[in-house]
Amino acid sequence: MKILLANKFYYRRGGDCIVTMNLEQLLKVHGHEVAVFAMQYPENLPSEWSKYWPSQMTALKAFTRPFGVKEVREKFTALLDDFKPEVIHLNNIHTQLSPVIAEVAHQRGIRVVWTLHDTKLVCPCYTCMRANRWCEECFSNKAAVIKHRCMPGGIIGSVIGYYEAKKWNKELLQEYTDLFLPPSQFMMDTVVRGGYDAKKFRALCNFIDLEKVKNPCFEKKEYYVYLGRVNEVKGLMTLCKAANNLPYKLKIIGDGPLRIMLKETYHDNSNIEFLGQMEWSDFRPIIEGAKFMVLPSEWSENNPLTVIESQSLGTPVLGARIGGIPELIKNLTPNPSPKGEGSERNGEDMVSNGMTFESGNVEDLKKMIQMMWDASWDYEAIAQQAQERYSSEAYYEQLMKYYQTKVL
């Protein structure tokens, strides 16, 4: 097949970019022809398709680009003319590219599937979070984004976000898209609550490149680890407060706006170590050697790759009970979970691969860190199960069905 992947950026900026680039390689390995549509950006990797990409976003273009400008439409059309894809697979496209590319593809009779990496379809500011709390006000009234100044840029950004949501409403996006592929049941449920038709959705969990995690080492050392952005919504302030009162070594891998502040705040605590940004080859041994990985998120993550990668290396995960995180964790010990989340979704035949705690609760996190530390784990079984569950081949087989079949 000839498949065109679309994503805002073409470098390993975040989970959406990593998934897109991994998918490109997976499809090529299976003999498909793959083209890429992205936005011009200094950090993008080289691509033979970059001549078709629209120019980089600017402050001025932020007023027009979200609505589907002529440049994006013309360059995307040129790529369609030359490449002639059978399937368009969208990822994160709002604002920098805009859903105009879904409209163009649909008008030409090309099948469109869309992996949802966030809640942009129902929330103008992508996160369904306001004042650090879950918010669904925009599900029924998009003007709430203006009322609460939810978008970056205050009132101006929020007005743009409002009109963008009105322009690319659920009626149009469902007309232009043959199938939405949220990586978690949580994401599917959220968007359906926002008014979308459940028949248009199939949950398809992210995958792992087995070459990336082959031959893991199961020799664990005396520390646990965090991997990801160092910011407030990832729960780093809560994690550090909990870790500060425990006698165990915590290694924090990643960078972000809170790293310097937290490093200064806890400079007297030798048990909290900030390692900064690292490449996979450098941090893989750290993840492998950890007793467990902790993901203390305080916003509703979709289908975090950090959990999938850690489990695939045999490292259990202590995750916040929020968003799609509990779907990936089979609790070693019973934990209360919100209805529809947690181990209830995981088959009873699954080996225990972690625990969960109440998001944002320092005391509960501290208690569960202690329980994770004291627990016995079958690291090899965790790795084997995860590699089977998140196999790229299993993902590919399911994806081909969605590329070729109509919605029931």
Side-chain angles (χ1 to χ4, degrees):
M1 298 178 70
K2 301 182 79 170
I3 301 156
L4 173 56
L5 304 179
N7 195 63
K8 299 176 182 182
F9 303 99
Y10 190 64
Y11 72 100
R12 293 184 174 275
R13 178 187 179 100
D16 59 318
C17 304
I18 293 171
V19 167
T20 302
M21 298 175 74
N22 288 348
L23 177 57
E24 178 188 12
Q25 294 307 310
L26 177 63
L27 293 171
K28 286 181 176 179
V29 164
H30 283 273
H32 301 285
E33 293 183 59
V34 184
V36 177
F37 188 69
M39 175 189 70
Q40 297 285 352
Y41 198 73
E43 296 181 60
N44 283 343
L45 298 179
S47 170
E48 63 180 299
W49 308 104
S50 60
K51 64 181 179 180
Y52 297 100
W53 298 354
S55 57
Q56 183 177 346
M57 194 76 159
T58 64
L60 184 60
K61 290 176 182 176
F63 287 90
T64 57
R65 181 74 68 85
F67 306 100
V69 296
K70 181 180 179 182
E71 180 195 15
V72 174
R73 184 184 291 270
E74 289 184 346
K75 291 196 171 183
F76 186 69
T77 298
L79 178 53
L80 296 184
D81 289 340
D82 291 348
F83 183 62
K84 297 180 174 58
E86 299 162 68
V87 175
I88 307 292
H89 191 147
L90 308 178
N91 287 274
N92 266 359
I93 61 166
H94 271 89
T95 306
Q96 286 87 343
L97 297 177
S98 89
V100 70
I101 63 178
E103 178 185 21
V104 171
H106 173 75
Q107 290 172 346
R108 294 178 64 140
I110 304 171
R111 184 164 176 78
V112 177
V113 301
W114 193 340
T115 294
L116 304 179
H117 298 277
D118 52 49
T119 55
K120 178 66 172 177
L121 264 59
V122 291
C123 172
C125 71
Y126 292 86
T127 65
C128 287
M129 296 291 287
R130 179 168 60 83
N132 295 324
R133 293 180 179 274
W134 183 256
C135 174
E136 297 186 1
E137 194 170 340
C138 277
F139 288 16
S140 58
N141 179 21
K142 292 294 186 288
V145 69
I146 300 176
K147 172 185 174 183
H148 300 297
R149 311 289 197 269
C150 296
M151 298 287 288
I155 183 64
I156 295 176
S158 298
V159 168
I160 294 172
Y162 168 76
Y163 282 107
E164 180 187 22
K166 298 294 284 185
K167 164 70 174 177
W168 305 115
N169 56 66
K170 61 180 179 289
E171 289 76 22
L172 284 182
L173 295 187
Q174 289 183 113
E175 177 186 348
Y176 300 153
T177 307
D178 291 282
L179 199 60
F180 296 100
L181 300 176
S184 67
Q185 187 67 38
F186 158 78
M187 181 61 66
M188 175 176 169
D189 293 345
T190 299
V191 179
V192 169
R193 280 202 309 278
Y196 282 74
D197 186 351
K199 294 178 181 178
K200 281 270 190 177
F201 290 77
R202 300 291 186 276
L204 183 60
C205 183
N206 287 325
F207 66 91
I208 188 77
D209 179 0
L210 294 184
E211 283 296 309
K212 185 178 178 181
V213 294
K214 68 179 181 180
N215 301 323
C217 175
F218 304 118
E219 295 180 9
K220 299 299 182 179
K221 301 176 182 177
E222 297 299 302
Y223 65 85
Y224 63 111
V225 66
Y226 166 83
L227 171 64
R229 289 283 291 168
V230 184
N231 58 26
E232 190 169 356
V233 297
K234 287 286 190 178
L236 265 294
M237 294 182 71
T238 300
L239 174 59
C240 287
K241 287 177 183 177
N244 190 47
N245 294 303
L246 290 168
Y248 309 122
K249 183 79 173 182
L250 167 65
K251 295 178 181 287
I252 296 176
I253 303 171
D255 202 358
L258 293 183
R259 187 173 73 88
I260 294 176
M261 183 273 287
L262 290 173
K263 191 172 182 179
E264 291 176 350
T265 301
Y266 296 100
H267 73 276
D268 289 334
N269 189 333
S270 60
N271 281 329
I272 303 178
E273 182 180 7
F274 293 87
L275 301 178
Q277 195 70 24
M278 302 175 74
E279 296 297 323
W280 171 259
S281 59
D282 296 318
F283 70 72
R284 171 180 162 160
I286 300 174
I287 300 295
E288 283 179 308
K291 280 182 170 286
F292 60 92
M293 192 272 282
V294 58
L295 185 58
S297 295
E298 293 174 14
W299 76 291
S300 295
E301 301 229 26
N302 184 4
N303 189 241
L305 288 173
T306 54
V307 175
I308 292 172
E309 291 169 344
S310 296
Q311 292 175 347
S312 296
L313 291 171
T315 300
V317 175
L318 174 58
R321 286 195 300 275
I322 193 169
I325 296 173
E327 295 177 36
L328 303 176
I329 296 174
K330 169 66 175 179
N331 290 324
L332 180 64
T333 55
N335 251 320
S337 297
K339 185 178 180 181
E341 292 188 352
S343 60
E344 292 82 356
R345 281 220 171 102
N346 300 321
E348 290 302 319
D349 58 335
M350 286 181 62
V351 67
S352 298
N353 58 19
M355 300 181 188
T356 61
F357 72 97
E358 182 183 354
S359 176
N361 187 324
V362 175
E363 290 304 312
D364 193 35
L365 174 54
K366 187 167 67 171
K367 178 184 74 175
M368 297 311 296
I369 289 173
Q370 183 68 63
M371 290 186 68
M372 289 286 293
W373 191 274
D374 293 338
S376 296
W377 303 95
D378 189 338
Y379 302 116
E380 189 170 356
I382 291 173
Q384 180 180 351
Q385 174 184 269
Q387 292 189 23
E388 292 173 357
R389 184 183 184 191
Y390 308 128
S391 161
S392 57
E393 291 307 304
Y395 178 95
Y396 172 79
E397 181 179 343
Q398 197 64 50
L399 183 64
M400 285 300 104
K401 294 178 183 178
Y402 295 152
Y403 277 177
Q404 299 174 63
T405 60
K406 298 297 182 181
V407 177
L408 298 178

